[in-house]
């Protein structure tokens, strides 16, 4: 089984993927490691401090066996289950600040979280038959252990539904833009 753990940078993908990998005994790999192994790193964007990946060829990678792939591009790899982790924009901003990221990079990523960018991309991947299932989990205020437990329930078919997430509505309610 191939499981993708995706979401905006900082939502907890790597942490959750590693914890889930331990429970399931699956190999855990990041989208970046996968791109590097397949020699698909085209360069480095100095301004945004992020690697540029050959998107077209990356999508053609096929994994065999049991894998958990984590990263905000991981849902572009053919998979059986895509888990989209979500985090309230306020919390996300704090985490990205702790990472020491530049204001511009934080703003871009928090906006992407508010606008459901990765979730919509994962839904598109499902439409294109890259992902068999897509389930969204709101991790705000949830422990890593409880997030892993939910994913295990989803794998076992005990849980199907995605969490309802609408950060924009919350922005309007609180008249707070987070960033
Ligand atoms: P990502 O891989 O999505 O960029 P990480 O797994 O690196 O995110 O997590 C970012 C930070 O958030 C880490 O310091 C991690 O310990 C913390 N973190 C992840 N998940 C949770 C959670 N459920 N509750 C509290 N902190 C978390
Ligand atoms: Mg990560």
């Amino acid at each position: 089984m191939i499981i993708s753990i995706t979401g905006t940078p900082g939502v907890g993908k790597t942490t959750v993927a590693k914890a889930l990998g331990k429970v399931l005994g699956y190999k855990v790999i990041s989208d970046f490691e996968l791109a590097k192994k397949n020699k698909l790193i085209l360069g480095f964007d100095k301004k945004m401090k992020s690697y540029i990946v050959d998107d077209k060829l990356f999508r053609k990678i096929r994994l065999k066996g049991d894998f958990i792939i984590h990263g905000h591009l991981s849902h572009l790899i053919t998979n059986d289950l895509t888990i989209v982790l979500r985090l309230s924009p306020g919390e996300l901003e704090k985490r990205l600040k702790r990472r020491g990221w530049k204001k511009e990079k934080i703003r871009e990523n928090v906006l992407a979280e508010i606008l459901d960018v990765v979730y919509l991309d994962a839904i598109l991947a499902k439409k294109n038959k890259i992902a068999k299932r897509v389930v969204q989990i709101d991790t705000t205020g949830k422990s890593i252990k409880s997030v892993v437990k939910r994913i295990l329930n989803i794998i076992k078919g005990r849980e199907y539904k995605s969490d309802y997430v609408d950060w924009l509505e919350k922005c309007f309610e609180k008249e707070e833009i987070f960033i």
Side-chain angles (χ1 to χ4, degrees):
M1 187 179 193
I2 312 283
I3 302 169
S4 149
I5 309 285
T6 193
T8 314
V11 292
K13 301 177 294 293
T14 303
T15 314
V16 167
K18 284 182 178 165
L20 186 67
K22 260 190 194 162
V23 179
L24 292 173
Y26 284 18
K27 287 178 212 115
V28 179
I29 190 164
S30 72
D31 50 5
F32 176 69
E33 286 166 330
L34 210 52
K36 214 164 69 174
K37 265 192 182 173
N38 287 276
K39 299 187 169 54
L40 299 177
I41 306 292
L42 298 178
F44 187 73
D45 182 336
K46 274 189 190 161
K47 200 175 154 214
M48 293 311 279
K49 287 192 177 164
S50 60
Y51 286 95
I52 304 155
V53 172
D54 188 329
D55 208 41
K56 266 192 187 162
L57 289 180
F58 183 75
R59 289 164 193 259
K60 291 194 174 142
I61 296 173
R62 298 284 178 273
L63 291 173
K64 273 194 192 130
D66 293 324
F67 274 97
I68 297 168
I69 332 158
H70 58 97
H72 68 284
L73 300 176
S74 64
H75 58 277
L76 301 177
I77 304 281
T78 302
N79 66 81
D80 302 290
L81 173 66
T82 294
I83 300 288
V84 186
L85 299 182
R86 305 299 300 267
L87 181 64
S88 91
E91 275 305 308
L92 184 64
E93 187 191 16
K94 278 187 215 155
R95 280 198 204 166
L96 296 180
K97 267 186 183 161
R98 252 182 257 141
R99 267 188 189 175
W101 280 13
K102 274 191 183 166
K103 250 190 181 173
E104 192 192 353
K105 196 173 172 179
I106 294 176
R107 187 180 160 83
E108 183 175 282
N109 283 287
V110 173
L111 279 178
E113 178 60 25
I114 291 174
L115 297 174
D116 305 325
V117 170
V118 178
Y119 177 65
L120 293 178
D121 207 42
I123 293 295
L124 184 66
K126 188 179 169 236
K127 197 178 162 205
N128 292 332
K129 309 223 178 309
I130 294 165
K132 284 197 187 121
R133 287 173 70 196
V134 176
V135 183
Q136 169 168 265
I137 298 177
D138 181 3
T139 68
T140 314
K142 301 281 184 321
S143 68
I144 292 152
K145 209 174 156 188
S146 76
V147 175
V148 169
K149 206 172 160 193
R150 278 199 67 191
I151 299 174
L152 289 172
N153 279 337
I154 292 161
I155 294 169
K156 286 174 189 158
R158 289 192 198 135
E159 232 189 285
Y160 300 91
K161 273 196 177 171
S162 282
D163 287 335
Y164 178 73
V165 170
D166 189 346
W167 302 136
L168 208 52
E169 190 183 69
K170 289 212 162 59
C171 290
F172 284 128
E173 274 172 12
K174 291 187 180 172
E175 289 191 340
E176 185 185 11
I177 187 64
F178 300 108
I179 43 170

